[in-house]
């Protein structure tokens, strides 16, 4: 559809304003909104932007200060994520071929030049909620919120897990929108054929998958991380004796890592020549990269080096990271870097990587742990 026609469709300007405000985590001035809406649907007069903003405030848009607006959902996220307290673009910290920024990835990605990254490997927050300041406080106090401390089992204390089943319908919608906006933002910044590998969980992966596809990425399968944990499969709460033969849910022993790719240009061989992407690097010339990877929970030695509640194991990540740069060249991005385990894995296999972490505590943790995790012996088998 021509830009002119798009602009004339009913509600198009309003939807474009929602879209541009959703793509950034900071409020925008009317001028900025006008420019970005213009890029999306063609020149749009300031008066039209203003009247849509006015008409839909406060239900949809929030007036932060005079002439500066954000969109309701983003306002809710921002409050949750303590965004305006996050210090954006502090000097990045470098170690070897890895660089970590303390920033909000939405803002940071938006500022990057096009075709900047050859792959993305990330483990995002699944609700926007579990890594909000409020939920992190609840976790650190050991009480309430989406974090659940599973009962110890056979004398083993188990790590806290986010309780995703508690997400409401609205929160699920927010998750959908969060990943859609994230992927739309990412699309121009990755080269054709770049793989985007996203850690997920069996309860929410269908939502993330839908959002990534809607944003224009191609689904290429899933990597199954066989975790073989002892989580789930419990009998009904407070009624164990009455229902001794019942599990409320299957005991989950795997973790889906969604595999997506930005559409390639021409054939895979053409794309490999031009962009160096489009396929997976084989672990050896005899063996293709496979989509089931045995991986026990993250080892204690790693958790001691990097005590992040969602730390992923090096043995698993190094295999994935190695595979996503088929020619062994390029930069891997982890926009939700946590303690930097993806960057450490990239460092260990000799690749360039960039990570973004918005939480100051985890950012500092990553600065310490990337060098240490990356130096762990390569035979970190479980
Ligand atoms: C599931 S954890 C990743 C843990 C990581 N895989 C590791 O092994 O350490 C997600 C991380 O994303 C961070 N995060 C959440 N929203 C973010 C955003 N908008 N920008 C950058 N980081 C964000 C959280 O603070 C959290 O540390």
């Amino acid at each position: 559809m021509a830009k002119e026609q798009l602009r004339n469709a009913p509600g198009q300007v309003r939807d474009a304003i929602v879209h541009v405000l959703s793509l950034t985590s900071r409020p925008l001035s009317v001028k900025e909104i006008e420019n970005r809406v213009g890029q999306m649907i063609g020149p749009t007069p300031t008066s039209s932007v203003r009247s849509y903003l006015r008409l839909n405030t406060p239900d949809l848009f929030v007036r932060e200060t005079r002439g500066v607006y954000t969109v309701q959902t983003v306002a809710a996220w921002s409050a949750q994520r303590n965004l305006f307290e996050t210090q954006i673009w502090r000097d990045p910290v470098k170690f070897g071929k890895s660089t970590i920024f303390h920033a909000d990835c939405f803002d940071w990605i938006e500022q990057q030049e096009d075709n900047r990254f050859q792959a993305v490997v990330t483990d995002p927050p699944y609700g926007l909620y579990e890594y909000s300041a409020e939920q992190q406080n609840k976790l650190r106090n050991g009480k309430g919120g989406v974090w659940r401390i599973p009962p110890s089992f056979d004398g083993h204390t188990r790590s806290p897990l986010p309780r995703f089943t508690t997400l409401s319908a609205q929160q699920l919608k927010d998750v959908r929108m969060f990943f859609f906006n994230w992927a739309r933002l990412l699309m121009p910044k990755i080269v054709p054929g770049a793989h985007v590998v996203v850690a997920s969980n069996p309860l929410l992966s269908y939502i993330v998958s839908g959002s990534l596809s809607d944003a224009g990425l191609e689904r290429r399968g899933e990597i199954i991380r066989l975790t073989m944990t002892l989580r789930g499969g419990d009998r009904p709460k407070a009624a164990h004796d009455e229902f001794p033969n019942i599990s409320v849910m299957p005991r989950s022993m795997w973790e889906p890592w969604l595999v997506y790719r930005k559409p390639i240009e021409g054939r895979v061989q053409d794309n490999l020549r031009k962009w160096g992407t489009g396929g997976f690097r084989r672990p050896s010339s005899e063996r293709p990269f496979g989509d089931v990877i045995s991986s026990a929970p993250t080892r204690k030695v790693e958790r001691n080096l990097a005590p992040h509640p969602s730390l992923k194991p090096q043995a698993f990540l190094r295999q994935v990271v190695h595979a996503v740069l088929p020619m062994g060249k390029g930069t891997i991005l982890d926009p939700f870097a946590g303690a930097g385990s993806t960057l450490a894995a990239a460092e260990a296999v000799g690749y360039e990587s960039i990570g973004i972490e918005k939480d100051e505590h985890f950012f500092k943790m990553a600065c310490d742990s990337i060098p240490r995790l990356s130096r762990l012996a390569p035979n970190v088998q479980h």
Side-chain angles (χ1 to χ4, degrees):
M1 207 186 299
K3 280 184 173 186
E4 193 60 27
Q5 279 173 295
L6 274 173
R7 181 156 59 88
N8 293 336
Q12 192 66 48
V13 175
R14 185 207 54 218
D15 292 350
I17 300 174
V18 171
H19 193 78
V20 299
L21 287 174
S22 307
L23 288 181
T24 168
S25 48
R26 72 177 167 85
L28 297 180
S29 69
V30 176
K31 190 81 213 147
E32 288 175 301
I33 298 172
E34 182 195 337
N35 288 342
R36 294 183 193 195
V37 166
Q39 283 165 10
M40 240 182 112
I41 60 168
T44 309
T46 313
S47 56
S48 167
V49 169
R50 268 189 209 286
S51 65
Y52 272 102
L53 287 167
R54 218 172 287 134
L55 202 68
N56 294 284
T57 300
D59 294 340
L60 184 56
F61 302 121
V62 182
R63 189 170 161 273
E64 291 280 342
T65 54
R66 196 154 176 263
V68 175
Y69 289 84
T70 184
V71 66
Q72 270 296 359
T73 338
V74 173
W77 296 351
S78 304
Q80 294 263 2
R81 294 191 286 159
N82 253 355
L83 253 176
F84 302 115
E85 288 165 27
T86 308
Q87 197 182 332
I88 312 280
W89 281 278
R90 174 186 292 185
D91 287 344
V93 173
K94 275 184 92 63
F95 170 76
K97 294 182 173 178
S98 57
T99 309
I100 178 131
F101 287 81
H102 178 214
D104 184 288
C105 70
F106 283 77
D107 280 343
W108 189 90
I109 293 172
E110 197 180 17
Q111 302 296 321
Q112 303 310 301
E113 64 201 41
D114 286 356
N115 297 324
R116 170 87 177 76
F117 303 102
Q118 283 68 32
V120 174
V121 175
T122 197
D123 169 26
Y126 266 90
L128 325 177
Y129 299 98
E130 74 271 22
Y131 283 102
S132 66
E134 186 199 351
Q135 295 296 334
Q136 280 297 300
N137 279 340
K138 288 185 175 170
L139 168 64
R140 283 160 194 160
N141 295 334
K143 247 177 143 180
V146 298
W147 288 89
R148 186 172 71 95
I149 317 288
S152 58
F153 181 84
D154 286 349
H156 296 287
T157 314
R158 294 190 271 172
S159 322
L161 260 189
R163 184 175 14 205
F164 296 114
T165 43
T166 60
L167 295 187
S168 66
Q170 181 55 47
Q171 287 170 328
L172 293 174
K173 263 194 194 157
D174 285 350
V175 172
R176 192 183 299 278
M177 190 166 160
F178 178 88
F179 283 100
F180 175 75
N181 288 333
W182 177 75
R184 283 292 288 261
L185 201 56
L186 201 57
M187 277 291 267
K189 314 298 179 190
I190 55 178
V191 301
H195 277 103
V196 177
V197 180
V198 181
S200 189
N201 65 68
L203 292 181
L204 292 175
S205 60
Y206 71 104
I207 294 189
V208 187
S209 269
S211 303
L212 299 184
S213 301
D214 289 348
L217 288 163
E218 293 173 338
R219 184 171 165 90
R220 303 291 292 167
E222 282 184 12
I223 297 168
I224 302 305
R225 176 179 164 228
L226 277 185
T227 48
M228 307 307 286
T229 49
L230 299 173
R231 295 184 192 286
D234 298 336
R235 297 183 179 90
K237 203 170 174 185
H240 293 195
D241 295 338
E242 195 181 346
F243 300 104
N245 298 323
I246 308 290
S247 282
V248 177
M249 285 182 69
R251 170 166 288 177
S252 188
M253 299 187 191
W254 64 290
E255 188 176 81
W257 284 61
L258 308 173
V259 180
Y260 276 80
R261 188 177 72 175
K262 180 165 166 177
I264 53 173
E265 287 182 359
R267 300 165 299 176
V268 172
Q269 55 176 292
D270 304 323
N271 204 87
L272 280 167
R273 285 185 202 108
K274 179 164 178 195
W275 298 103
T277 52
F280 283 94
R281 191 170 178 188
R282 291 172 167 248
S284 72
S285 58
E286 293 76 42
R287 197 156 58 93
F289 176 66
D291 65 3
V292 177
I293 300 181
S294 278
S295 163
T298 312
R299 298 182 314 163
K300 199 156 179 221
V301 59
E302 293 175 45
R303 286 187 278 117
N304 287 344
L305 290 179
H308 188 291
S310 312
L311 188 74
K312 299 295 177 189
Q314 284 297 296
F316 169 78
L317 279 174
R318 288 181 190 181
Q319 295 179 53
V320 175
V321 160
H322 179 267
V324 292
L325 292 184
M327 315 289 284
K329 288 193 195 116
T331 304
I332 297 178
L333 174 68
D334 182 354
F336 302 104
S341 53
T342 305
L343 277 70
E347 188 62 30
V349 300
Y351 290 170
E352 301 228 341
S353 63
I354 293 187
I356 320 296
E357 174 54 49
K358 67 147 207 209
D359 181 295
E360 184 162 21
H361 175 73
F362 295 140
F363 166 76
K364 288 184 180 154
M365 188 185 286
C367 297
D368 277 350
S369 47
I370 293 168
R372 297 185 193 177
L373 290 173
S374 68
R375 284 192 202 112
L376 283 176
N379 60 340
V380 279
Q381 298 305 334
H382 299 274

